[in-house]
């Protein structure tokens, strides 16, 4: 703390240069004052636009704050200024790892001569590659970047129909039931919430991406919204749980089906869309979305204690102007 005070005093008196400010950034990071570190690192980078270590310091602070797109951009800027800056490469690898980009992280880690805890980091990257679901960091990073123009791209360019498909399925399976308590899994910006709102006495949402949740909150239609993982963070009991185009980020659905079953009222329903796979099992498609076969969905649903109340072929969206094969499913508890 003394060091922070001394360094601040020196800089305020105009007696400290870049080195003093970067030392201050390190001291603030060490004392977990991330906002203070951000201010100083921004100042260092602004005052020294052509200096690689200043860009690296800003990248490191942004990485600690979890602001991955800007952290990666700043670290890459540091490497353009000084391609030999080993620590900037290491931090870039850490950022790719936090963003769930295991292959990119491994490429960086394997190019380093040595780095702290490198074996653990490489093991984490391999775990992401072999997990039977999309990494939470990957999903968060993807949708934090996508959130700004999500609605216009999904509706305008990709003919996105999953929310309406689920609404039509609900009208078929539980016609006339109003005043439902509804949970929107992977609520995103709230497109499914919008079409279910009219039937809800209570509407809650959960999503991994904080910026998608901010957009959903701005609609003012949800009673409660949380940032969390649908496999591990469900609370409460609901008449209806919906997941519009969310299960494409989970391969193995056993854990999700079990937790949804546990959070449904006795006459509750779980409605979701998937991208379809032929034959059996599930697989990761080339666009890094998971596809599920009808046989797999029926098998896992039965194992979790569900009955299949409805299962229809329905394309949730297009890809390169072609409808993506999909299924819409209603499970009853
Ligand atoms: C394609 S968007 C669909 C959003 C919304 N349901 C809609 O219809 O527009 C998928 C959403 O699921 C969220 N998501 C994916 N996996 C998740 C998980 N394991 N836990 C929470 N949210 C998840 C993503 O962050 C993203 O917002």
């Amino acid at each position: 703390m003394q060091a922070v005070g001394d360094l601040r005093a020196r800089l305020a008196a105009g007696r400290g240069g870049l080195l003093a400010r970067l030392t201050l950034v390190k001291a603030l990071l060490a004392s977990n004052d991330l906002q203070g570190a951000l201010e100083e690192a921004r100042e260092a980078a602004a005052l020294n636009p052509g200096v690689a270590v200043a860009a690296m310091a800003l990248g490191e602070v942004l990485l600690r704050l979890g602001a991955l797109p800007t952290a990666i951009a700043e670290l890459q800027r540091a490497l353009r200024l000084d391609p030999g800056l080993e620590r900037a490469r290491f931090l870039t690898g850490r950022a790719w790892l936090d963003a769930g980009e295991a292959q990119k992280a491994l490429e960086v880690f394997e190019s380093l001569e040595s780095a702290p805890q490198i074996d653990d980091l490489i093991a984490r990257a391999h775990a992401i590659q072999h997990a039977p679901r999309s990494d939470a960091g990957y999903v968060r990073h993807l949708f934090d970047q996508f959130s700004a123009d999500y609605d216009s791209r999904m509706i305008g360019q990709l003919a996105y129909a999953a929310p309406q498909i689920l609404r039509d399925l609900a009208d078929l399976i539980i016609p006339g039931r109003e005043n439902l308590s509804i949970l929107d899994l992977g609520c995103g910006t709230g497109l499914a919430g919008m079409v279910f709102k009219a039937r809800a006495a209570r509407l809650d949402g959960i999503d991994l991406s904080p910026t998608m949740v901010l957009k959903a909150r701005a609609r003012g239609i949800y009673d409660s919204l949380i940032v969390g993982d649908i496999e591990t963070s469900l609370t409460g009991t609901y008449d209806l749980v919906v997941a519009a185009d969310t299960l494409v980020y989970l391969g193995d659905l056993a854990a999700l089906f079990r937790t949804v079953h546990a959070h449904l009222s006795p006459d509750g329903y779980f409605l979701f869309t998937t991208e379809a796979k032929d034959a059996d099992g599930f697989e990761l498609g080339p666009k890094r979305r998971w596809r599920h076969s009808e046989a797999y969905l029926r098998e896992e649903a039965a194992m979790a204690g569900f009955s299949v109340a409805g299962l229809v072929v329905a394309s949730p969206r297009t890809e390169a102007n072609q409808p993506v094969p999909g299924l819409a499913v209603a499970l009853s508890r």
Side-chain angles (χ1 to χ4, degrees):
M1 270 313 167
Q2 185 57 39
V4 168
D6 290 351
L7 286 161
R8 280 214 160 107
R10 264 174 61 189
L11 286 162
R15 285 188 289 111
L18 175 62
L19 192 60
R21 203 173 295 277
L22 294 183
T23 309
L24 177 56
V25 170
K26 260 200 195 122
L28 290 165
L29 278 181
S31 63
N32 233 6
D33 180 354
L34 301 187
Q35 283 308 324
L38 181 63
E39 270 170 41
E40 296 300 338
R42 279 210 170 115
E43 185 75 2
L47 292 173
N48 303 275
V51 178
V53 286
M56 179 174 78
L58 180 53
E60 181 163 7
V61 176
L62 290 164
L63 176 58
R64 284 278 298 270
L65 282 162
L68 297 179
T70 40
I72 290 166
E74 210 52 40
L75 292 166
Q76 287 177 334
R77 191 169 73 82
L79 284 169
R80 278 196 302 280
L81 290 166
D82 180 356
L85 202 55
E86 184 94 342
R87 183 160 172 78
R89 266 198 292 144
F90 168 70
L91 292 169
T92 309
R94 297 279 319 249
W96 285 130
L97 192 59
D98 287 355
E101 294 286 355
Q103 189 51 42
K104 287 182 181 166
L106 283 171
E107 280 161 22
V108 174
F109 293 149
E110 279 156 13
S111 77
L112 296 172
E113 299 203 338
S114 71
Q117 284 132 26
I118 195 72
D119 292 342
D120 289 352
L121 295 171
I122 289 175
R124 249 181 75 195
H126 285 142
I128 290 172
Q129 284 182 321
H130 296 115
R133 57 163 282 175
S134 302
D135 180 65
Y138 166 73
V139 173
R140 193 177 303 120
H141 182 61
L142 179 70
F143 284 97
D144 279 353
Q145 287 177 296
F146 195 5
S147 61
D149 60 352
Y150 175 86
D151 290 5
S152 58
R153 277 180 60 190
M154 291 300 270
I155 296 165
Q157 293 169 27
L158 302 176
Y160 182 54
Q164 193 55 49
I165 290 167
L166 292 185
R167 176 68 211 254
D168 293 347
L169 190 58
D171 289 347
L172 209 69
I173 303 287
I174 42 170
R177 261 180 81 184
E178 308 278 331
N179 295 323
L180 300 166
S181 56
I182 302 180
L183 175 62
D184 185 358
L185 298 183
C187 60
T189 62
L191 293 179
M194 293 286 282
V195 302
F196 278 95
K197 178 71 179 164
R199 298 186 73 170
R202 175 177 185 89
L203 178 63
D204 294 343
I206 172 169
D207 201 285
L208 268 173
S209 156
T211 60
M212 294 291 267
V213 166
L214 277 181
K215 296 254 170 195
R217 185 161 289 130
R219 290 193 196 273
I221 57 169
Y222 290 92
D223 295 284
S224 151
L225 280 165
I226 63 165
V227 174
D229 196 307
I230 59 173
E231 273 195 339
T232 52
S233 307
L234 302 197
T235 56
T237 302
Y238 293 91
D239 302 316
L240 186 60
V241 174
V242 298
D245 204 34
T246 300
L247 272 48
V248 293
Y249 296 101
L250 295 178
D252 185 342
L253 296 176
L256 179 75
F257 280 11
R258 271 199 308 272
T259 187
V260 172
H261 192 271
H263 291 278
L264 276 176
S265 56
D267 57 351
Y269 285 83
F270 178 27
L271 268 54
F272 58 86
T273 59
T274 65
E275 291 188 8
K277 174 186 183 300
D278 289 338
D280 50 17
F282 60 87
E283 67 184 5
L284 188 62
K287 299 284 178 182
R288 295 168 82 176
R289 287 196 298 272
W290 297 87
R291 300 166 175 154
H292 299 92
S293 68
E294 178 178 338
Y296 174 77
L297 295 172
R298 288 185 181 278
E299 203 176 297
E300 288 300 333
M303 297 238 290
F306 282 115
S307 305
V308 177
L311 189 150
V312 293
V313 170
S315 170
R317 47 177 274 173
T318 58
E319 182 91 54
N321 292 321
Q322 295 304 311
V324 173
L327 298 167
V329 184
L331 303 180
S332 64
R333 183 155 183 268

